[in-house]
Every structure is written in structure tokens, then in C-alpha cells.
Amino acid sequence: MSVVTITTDFGTKDGYVGEVKGVLATRAPEAALVDVAHDVTPGDVRGAAWILGRIWSRFPVGTVHLAVVDPGVGGARTPVAVRVAERWFVGPDNGLLTFVSRAFSVEEARRIDLAIGGSPPSDTFHGRDVFAPAAAHLSAGMDPRRIGPEVEGGQIVELPLPRPARQGDSLHGHVLHVDHFGNLITNLPNDDLPPSPRVMISGVTVPTLSRSYGAVGRGELLASLGSGGTLEIAVRDGSASERLGVDRDEEVEVRPSPGASA
Amino acid sequence: MSVVTITTDFGTKDGYVGEVKGVLATRAPEAALVDVAHDVTPGDVRGAAWILGRIWSRFPVGTVHLAVVDPGVGGARTPVAVRVAERWFVGPDNGLLTFVSRAFSVEEARRIDLAIGGSPPSDTFHGRDVFAPAAAHLSAGMDPRRIGPEVEGGQIVELPLPRPARQGDSLHGHVLHVDHFGNLITNLPNDDLPPSPRVMISGVTVPTLSRSYGAVGRGELLASLGSGGTLEIAVRDGSASERLGVDRDEEVEVRPSPGASA
Amino acid sequence: MSVVTITTDFGTKDGYVGEVKGVLATRAPEAALVDVAHDVTPGDVRGAAWILGRIWSRFPVGTVHLAVVDPGVGGARTPVAVRVAERWFVGPDNGLLTFVSRAFSVEEARRIDLAIGGSPPSDTFHGRDVFAPAAAHLSAGMDPRRIGPEVEGGQIVELPLPRPARQGDSLHGHVLHVDHFGNLITNLPNDDLPPSPRVMISGVTVPTLSRSYGAVGRGELLASLGSGGTLEIAVRDGSASERLGVDRDEEVEVRPSPGASA
């Protein structure tokens, strides 16, 4: 059984997710439909890109990842199907694949024919009329060439995200994502941190890394080697975002602890 | 594999959706369970009816649509299983099928025997004790006559929704639904609109139809041919409901643009 | 097909639920993944325990219930796989099984080997790295002994919940859970109530039991035989929690109605 994952900003009070699933259930009846997240902030392409970056490689080869956060629906952005590491990604070419295509090179990228659903699509719901039919097509193992022509040079849109920088002893980075718990996920790779890092954010210094939340008291700040591969800042049993008044894109600096030998 | 879709106002912080799914997984182990929406406003039968109206025909023939928004649970309303266009709908007969039964005629309607679960049901959770067993029964391909007796004349409850009216050149309608994005979905069919419609709502005039959100600037109002078949009013990258201070049932008027030839 | 249910406090705006499902889809491709609830209040072990207590026995024998509400992740609490009534429960041993293990005795309890995922787990995401691999292992029918060693004496953590008490004619209990609708679910068993109970909570008396919400007017309080087996207090078409200003752990007292013969 093949898997189709679904990531949207459609919420769960309307029928939109249901319409997309109906198209998938009709056109790819053997696919297992897996909800990833539907409460992405409306129009937050970057938030959805972060999600895709976290989940895609956890699913087996052959999975189709359908992602529809599409504030430009019906406009100039290109609907695409992109193959990376033997998984397919289907959605608008607006940066949703930024993290995926940084991790692995694009093997194939096709512009989706707007008539793939069998009739002219609506102008405002390509999730149902264009992307779901394309995802079903691929999930059912049909010829990808029938999706549409190859994108020239395989070039897809990448969001201009901040990248970490090193200045002498210190690493400078940013908060990439604030999660449901209020944890701050940075772009500083765990592997690049000094052995005893001191983390500075928003005028506050976290003096050391903690292995787990239990290493600090309730309500206290901690920095940890994040499960996504980058440094995270959290508050035990609380929200680091609220506690520090910090949102996405806040700067973070890491230095070796004074006296620590690198 | 047959599909059972699930639409409720149970939310996703309690176990109620899980209890319903447990009954389905036990009694119809071959069914694929598909979440449609669980964040319908508590008791909002009309909101759920709108969802069913959007999704039902997207799913394949043979699908069972289980819908439980049931403020009168345990009271006088009838639990029903209704067949429309070769799909089954299972839930309380309180108007949930208003849009479905307007679109297609009812082929069969049965009052669900309250003992269908094998024991007397609770008074307050027919979703688990009455509707899920009935949905499982139908999904497993068992005889519909064992659900219970036919409803006399096949009559099911229809909500008294406003209908569009024409006065000379102008069309008068209403907002039927406000979605997650704050878009206003009206009851004015796309096909009935004049070629160059001017849309008036809440003292504001939208001078023309836009093909897509990209046709206007950020934060600007637009009217578009909605993906559900009726006129919609939206704000690009924003909420039309908030911007106009408009909720469900607000009046909408459409006239041909001055100077436009009909 | 075997079922794996998933209950978390991960929310539905991030990719965490997706990562867990990816691991399950990869390692137990035949399992049907069933979302129970992801909007448990962050860190609310007791709320998740209540959910598990409601749902577990509704699912068929052989089901694996994966539950991750884990404020102590990476710390001292033990990751466990516990077998009760031929279902497996996988998660942190922090009280999540309180209601399950009260209902049925534990048949087998194993401490999960942290390397079950094939490599050292992250410190902060055992849901993905420890619990999902263990759930997949069990769902795929593999030898439970390979999960890890048996927990001594089969002892697992139980939350110290209030228990009902009888004083003469009256029953004293507490609110165990406030649900999505604002209904107050108490710990007073339906079967222990007097024939004509008078329910007192927060200085208010509900004079009688109602069979259904329809038995009282809109906005009125009612007490009913709850679908989970214990007394519930609700407001028709409203929230009893808001109306009474009452939260979890509020005291409830039940007496026979004056003049009623017990």
C-alpha cells in the first residue's frame, strides 16, 4: 500500500480537507491517506516548508507528499510535482520544498498540467482540482510524464532563509520555527556547536546544554540538541516563545563557555 | 476497501472521536476511516451540513458518510441512514443532509434501530452507540433493511436556508458559510452571475470578479467564482469576515456593472 | 490489518505527528494508523490518561495504543510497553495508563530498550525515536521480548486520583475531566447513584437526572448518566464549565431527592 501524506493550512472546521481526500480516495483507492498537519497558519509557506523538511524522509520510498499552502492559488506560481530521494512532492512551487531540496538534490520536476483533473480547475482550489489528482496519479504508479512537462533545469523556488555564520569563536544563527509548545528551533546544527556552548538570545544567556527537560526546574529555560538536528531553546513545562517574547527569525548566538576547552 | 468518512463537532482534545473510530475499527475492520472535520462549532448543524454538501460526491460510490453534530441527542430527533446517489449518510435527522438532498433525491431512508449496537445505547453518545454501529453495518456490506424501518415517504429534515432571489437586474443572496480563512461563501450560483458582476455587501462594493487572489493587492477585497459553485468574497492574505465585520446570513447583492452589456 | 492508535499533545500545526506516522508507516506498513487526539493540553498526562481510559476497549484485540504526552522526556521516567486485555499500550510510564490498569490487570509490562529504533534516540523526541519504533514492532507481530526486559512486578505508575466516597446518604466525588463541550465528567459511577439523585456542585443544585439534553431548556443545567459510565453535568447548548466557573477536581455531591424512596 502506498502512502499519501497531506499537509495544509485548511484547518479542520470546513470541508476542504475532506474534498481533497475524496479526490484521492476516488482516484487512488489503494493509497493510505495520512494527515500530517492542517493547522499551519493560513498562508504560512515557510511553516509548511519546515514541516515537510522534518517529515519527508521518515516516510518510505514511494510516498507522495501532498502539500497545499498556496496563498497565490490561481496566480503565477507553478503547480509542480517534484521527485527527491524517490519520494514525490506535489504542490505549488512557492518555496514549500526549501528544506527538502537543500537536503537532497531534485531528481525530477514537472509542471502539472492544469487539466490533470479531467476538466478545467477552479481558480481558487487547486488543492482539490490540480494537486490531489496529480498526487493520486503518482500514488497509483502511473507515468509521471503524463503529469506535465519537465521544469527547465529542474529549478524550483527556494525561500531566502537566514543561514548560520561563524565569527571567530561564536556562531550566529536564527530561530527557524516556533512550535506548538513554544519551543524555539534554531538553524544552528547540533554538530557545529562547541562542546560546552553558552547560548544567547534576546538578551538572555542559557549557560549550558541540558540533555533533557528534567535537567532544569519547572519554568526554567534550557538549550538542547534538538531532535531535528539543530539547537533548540525551550522552557520546561512552558513556552520559551512567551517567556522570552521571541518569535521566528530572532537572532541566536552561541559561544564556548568561558574556561571550557574546545 | 470501502471508505467511512467522519464529520463531527467533537474536537480533538477528548477521546470521543477515538471511541467512534474504535467501534468502526472493530465492526468494519476493512473500512478506511477518513477524518473530514472535527472542529465544527459545537452544535452547528448548519456548518456540518455545508461540509457534507461540499464533500459527499467527491468520495467514491459506496462510501459511508458518518456525521454527528447532534445537539438533540437522546431527544426526539430520529437517527437515520439515508442513501443518496449510492452513498450512505448516517447521523441524526436534524438537517445535516440539507445540501445533499437538495442536490440529489433520496433513494432510501431508514430509521436506525436504537439497539443496533447490540445493547441499549447511552442517552448522550449516539455517535458511538448508534451511528457508528450503523455506519459499520453498511460499510461492511450488510443488509440495509436490518438497520431499521423505512422512513415514511423518505422525508428527512431540511434546514430552512435562505434562497437567492432575482429582482429586475439584481440578484439577492446571502452568506451561507464563513470558512477558516474568513472567506464568505454565498448562495449565488456562479452560473447565474451577469458577465461583469458588481458585488455589494455590508455597504461595500466589489466592482468586479477576480480570477485569482493574485489579481488584487494584499489586504484587498475580491469577489470570485467559488470552488463550490457559488460566488465568494475574500480578502487576499486576510479575512473578509473580519474586514467587513460580516458573518453567516449577511445579505449580498449582485448587479451587472454599469455600462456592461449583459 | 492491525490498528495503531495515536494520542499526543503535539498539536496539528507542526510536523511532529507526521514524523511519528512516518516511522510507523515505514516499520509497520500494514498497520492502519488512527488519530485519536492531538490537542491534549501540552503536558497534561491526566487528560490523556482519561482519553485512553475511554477509548482503549473500543478497539479490537491486537490494537496498539501509542500515547505520547511526555513532559519528562529524556529524564527519569521509564519508556514502557504494557499489555492489558490483549491490547498493547506504548508510551512513557508517567500515569498515562491509570484508568486502563484500574479497569483490567496488567498482563505484561516491558521497559523499552532506548536503542529499539536502531540508533541512539534524541533526548527530546522519544515519541519518534523510541515509542513509534516499539509500537511498530508490536503491531508487526514481532516478539515482545525484543522490546526490552520485563518491568519488575509489572508495576506501572498510577496517578493519585480522587476516589468517590460515601457518607451516610450522600456520595462525594470530583470532576475528573472537562470536555470540549464544557461538560463536567465526574468520578461517580452511574450504577451507584440513588434512584432520584439531587446533584450539588459549586453551590448549585441540579434537582434531578435528565435522560437527554432535550429534557431541559436551552442554557439550562442538567445532570445525566454519562456515556463513560459516570455522572455528568452539562448545560444544554452551552458549557457547564463556563456557566459554573468550574474546572477539573471540583467537588460534587449527590443525595437522594427529599421524599424519594431509595
Side-chain angles (χ1 to χ4, degrees), chain C residues 15-56:
Chain C
Y16 302 137
V17 169
E19 288 185 85
V20 166
K21 290 179 175 177
V23 172
L24 292 167
T26 299
R27 290 168 178 256
E30 298 304 318
L33 309 183
V34 173
D35 290 299
V36 168
H38 297 301
D39 290 327
V40 173
T41 303
D44 183 15
V45 173
R46 187 166 146 195
W50 182 83
I51 290 174
L52 286 174
R54 297 270 320 202
I55 65 149
W56 73 276

Side-chain angles (χ1 to χ4, degrees), chain A residues 58-60, chain C residues 4-6 17-31 33 64 66 127-128 131-137 139:
Chain A
R58 301 284 168 188
F59 284 88
Chain C
V4 178
T5 77
I6 316 176
V17 169
E19 288 185 85
V20 166
K21 290 179 175 177
V23 172
L24 292 167
T26 299
R27 290 168 178 256
E30 298 304 318
L33 309 183
V64 177
L66 173 62
R128 179 193 67 193
F131 301 123
H137 180 95
S139 173

Side-chain angles (χ1 to χ4, degrees), chain B residues 21 25 27 140 164 190 201 224 242 250:
Chain B
K21 289 178 175 176
R27 292 168 177 255
N190 292 338
I201 181 167
S224 68
E242 279 182 23
E250 182 78 19

Side-chain angles (χ1 to χ4, degrees), chain C residues 71-161:
Chain C
V73 60
R77 95 283 176 272
T78 310
V80 287
V82 177
R83 185 158 54 87
V84 177
E86 299 183 61
R87 284 87 168 172
W88 280 99
F89 298 81
V90 175
D93 184 23
N94 59 10
L96 281 171
L97 295 189
T98 298
F99 293 97
V100 175
S101 64
R102 277 188 183 182
F104 270 77
S105 57
V106 168
E107 296 160 357
E108 183 176 352
R110 295 189 174 274
R111 181 184 183 105
I112 303 171
D113 183 339
L114 286 182
I116 191 167
S119 50
S122 68
D123 289 324
T124 53
F125 197 0
H126 284 188
R128 179 193 67 193
D129 299 335
V130 176
F131 301 123
H137 180 95
L138 293 166
S139 173
M142 296 201 285
D143 187 347
R145 288 172 300 183
R146 288 175 50 200
I147 291 281
E150 285 207 70
V151 174
E152 268 180 66
Q155 273 305 111
I156 58 169
V157 172
E158 192 171 309
L159 299 172
L161 293 183

